[in-house]
Amino acid sequence: MICSAYGFTLVYSAIYSNLDKDSILIASIKAMLVTVLAAIIGVAAALILSMINYEVISKLWPIIAAGCVVLMIITFIFGEGPESRPDARSWLNFKFFSIQTSEFLKIGFIISFSYHLDLVKDNINKIKTIIPLVIHGVIPIGLVVLTGDAGSALIFVIMFIGMLFLARINIGYFAAGICAIVVAFVVAWRTGIINGLQRTRIEALFFPDEYKDVMYQQTNGKIALGSGGLFGQGYLNGKMTQGGAVPENQNDMILTVAGEEFGYIGAMAVILLLAVLIIRVVFVGLKARDNVGYLMCMGVAVMLFAQLIVNVGMELSLLPCIGITLPLFSSGGSSSLSIYLAIGIVLSVYRYSKNQKNSLFYRY
C-alpha cells in the first residue's frame, strides 16, 4: 500500500503538466482514477484471497488455467494495441476500461505451475517429468508472443526458469536450456523472426549514436534521472518531467520521475520498497507449511523481481525498451490488480501456515 501511495504521487506528477491541456485532460484523469481504483480493488481482493485456503486455490488450477488460455485466445482475436504498437494486440477494450490479459495469465501460471511442480516433486529430475514441465511453460509464453507482447513474454521466461530452479531441478537441465535459448535467439535473429521495432530496439542498445530516434525515450530518461542529483528538483518541479521530455513516464519510465523530482534518495526508495516486499514474500514462502505454498510464494517473488530488474535495466539503457511496468508504481490497472491478487495468495499462505483455522475452506 505504501508502494501504491508513492506510485500515485509519481503518476500524478508525470501527468500534472497535462491537466491544463484539454486534448489530453480526460486521458490524464483516467490514468489517475485507474491507478487509485486498481489499488483499492486490489487491496480488497487480496484480503478476500487471504481468507481462502491456498490449497483450495491450487486445486482449482485446471479451471484457472483453462480460463486464462481462453482469455488469451480472445485477446489474440479481438485484442487491441496502443497507437505506437498496433501490432501488439495485448489489450481487451471494454469501452469504459481496458485490461491487459497477460497480467492475469501470470497469476494463473504461478498457481498451475506450482501445483504441477509439487505433483512431480519426487521425480522432478527425470526426463519424462521435465518434458511436460517445459510444455507447461511454453504454452503461456507462446500465447503471449502471439499477441505481440514481447516484454511480458520475457517475464514469463524468467518466471519459468526461476520456478524450475527453486523447485531444485538438476543444474544440467539449466545449462542445456540456456544453450537452447541462445541457439533459438540466433536462429530467430538470422531468419528475421525477430524484426521490426523489436529488432531495432536491440540494435539501438549497442549502437545508440546510429539510432538516436529509437533511444530518445531512454536517453532522456537517463538525463532526467541524473539531473535530480541527491535530493531532486522538488515535487512537480522536474523540468523534464513537467516538460514532457520523457515519453510514457507515467508507465514504463516512472522511475525517472522519482529520480528527477526526489533525487537519488527518491529513486532508491522505490527500489528498496520493492526489494523489501520481495524479501518478505520469500520469507513467507520459506515458512510455508508445504511445497505448493513455498512454490507459489517463490513464483510471486520471481515475478516481482523480474519486473523490477527488467524495468530498471530498461530505464538505465542496460536492456532494450520492451514496455514493462514497475510493480505497483507505474500507471496501469491490470498490472497493479494482478500484483495485489498475487499478494493475496501470499497472504493466504502466511495465514494458513500460521493458523489453519483462520482460513476459509480449511476443512477441505
Side-chain angles (χ1 to χ4, degrees):
M1 292 174 69
I2 293 172
C3 289
S4 290
Y6 190 5
F8 175 74
T9 63
L10 298 178
V11 170
Y12 179 79
S13 178
I15 63 180
Y16 177 75
S17 60
N18 296 331
L19 295 180
D20 59 348
K21 300 176 182 178
D22 294 337
S23 59
I24 47 181
L25 176 60
I26 295 176
S28 299
I29 294 175
K30 182 180 178 181
M32 289 189 292
L33 288 176
V34 165
T35 302
V36 174
L37 286 174
I40 293 172
I41 296 171
V43 170
L47 290 174
I48 292 170
L49 279 175
S50 74
M51 293 185 288
I52 302 174
N53 188 344
Y54 67 92
E55 292 181 356
V56 174
I57 297 174
S58 69
K59 289 176 182 177
L60 293 174
W61 75 265
I63 298 173
I64 295 171
C68 288
V69 169
V70 170
L71 195 60
M72 291 303 297
I73 293 173
I74 293 173
T75 304
F76 176 70
I77 298 172
F78 301 105
E80 299 179 1
E83 293 182 3
S84 59
R85 286 290 310 280
D87 58 314
R89 301 188 304 274
S90 53
W91 294 82
L92 284 179
N93 190 345
F94 294 97
K95 300 301 179 183
F96 296 105
F97 65 94
S98 300
I99 62 170
Q100 188 174 9
T101 51
S102 60
E103 295 292 342
F104 300 101
L105 181 63
K106 292 175 187 175
I107 311 305
F109 175 69
I110 290 172
I111 294 170
S112 62
F113 200 52
S114 295
Y115 191 84
H116 189 169
L117 287 169
D118 180 64
L119 202 63
V120 299
K121 61 184 178 183
D122 295 330
N123 300 300
I124 193 80
N125 286 307
K126 293 185 177 180
I127 192 67
K128 65 179 182 181
T129 300
I130 296 297
I131 293 174
L133 287 172
V134 171
I135 294 173
H136 192 151
V138 167
I139 290 174
I141 294 171
L143 289 170
V144 173
V145 169
L146 284 175
T147 63
D149 190 355
S152 293
L154 175 61
I155 300 300
F156 273 98
V157 170
I158 298 173
M159 289 169 60
F160 172 65
I161 295 173
M163 290 182 71
L164 283 177
F165 179 79
L166 292 166
R168 301 174 183 86
I169 295 287
N170 192 298
I171 197 68
Y173 289 114
F174 287 101
I178 291 172
C179 291
I181 291 172
V182 171
V183 171
F185 179 82
V186 172
V187 171
W189 188 270
R190 292 286 187 179
T191 58
I193 295 175
I194 299 176
N195 55 28
L197 184 59
Q198 296 173 358
R199 187 185 186 99
T200 303
R201 283 176 171 173
I202 295 173
E203 291 175 338
L205 203 62
F206 297 97
F207 306 101
D209 292 335
E210 298 178 21
Y211 294 92
K212 290 182 179 179
D213 55 336
V214 178
M215 293 296 293
Y216 174 82
Q217 181 185 31
Q218 289 171 288
T219 300
N220 280 14
K222 287 191 296 182
I223 294 172
L225 274 167
S227 65
L230 184 61
F231 298 107
Q233 298 177 14
Y235 188 53
L236 304 180
N237 289 319
K239 292 181 180 179
M240 299 191 73
T241 295
Q242 301 309 320
V246 185
E248 299 299 326
N249 61 350
Q250 79 278 15
N251 293 323
D252 307 339
M253 308 296 286
I254 194 69
L255 188 64
T256 66
V257 181
E260 184 178 32
E261 299 195 340
F262 296 115
Y264 177 79
I265 301 298
M268 282 304 300
V270 171
I271 295 173
L272 289 174
L273 281 169
L274 288 172
V276 169
L277 178 61
I278 293 168
I279 291 169
R280 181 61 176 157
V281 171
V282 170
F283 281 154
V284 173
L286 292 174
K287 294 180 179 180
R289 60 176 296 159
D290 56 18
N291 192 49
V292 73
Y294 160 79
L295 289 169
M296 290 170 83
C297 289
M298 293 304 170
V300 173
V302 171
M303 178 185 73
L304 293 170
F305 178 77
Q307 289 192 218
L308 172 61
I309 292 298
V310 172
N311 179 273
V312 174
M314 182 181 71
E315 297 199 47
L316 297 178
S317 298
L318 300 174
L319 294 172
C321 190
I322 53 177
I324 294 297
T325 57
L326 192 62
L328 299 175
F329 283 89
S330 296
S331 172
S334 298
S335 175
S336 293
L337 184 56
S338 68
I339 290 169
Y340 272 110
L341 291 174
I343 290 174
I345 294 173
V346 175
L347 291 173
S348 174
V349 174
Y350 177 81
R351 180 192 294 269
Y352 189 76
S353 298
K354 293 285 287 186
N355 184 359
Q356 183 172 346
K357 291 184 178 180
N358 284 341
S359 292
L360 295 178
F361 311 127
Y362 72 91
R363 59 184 178 280
Y364 295 114

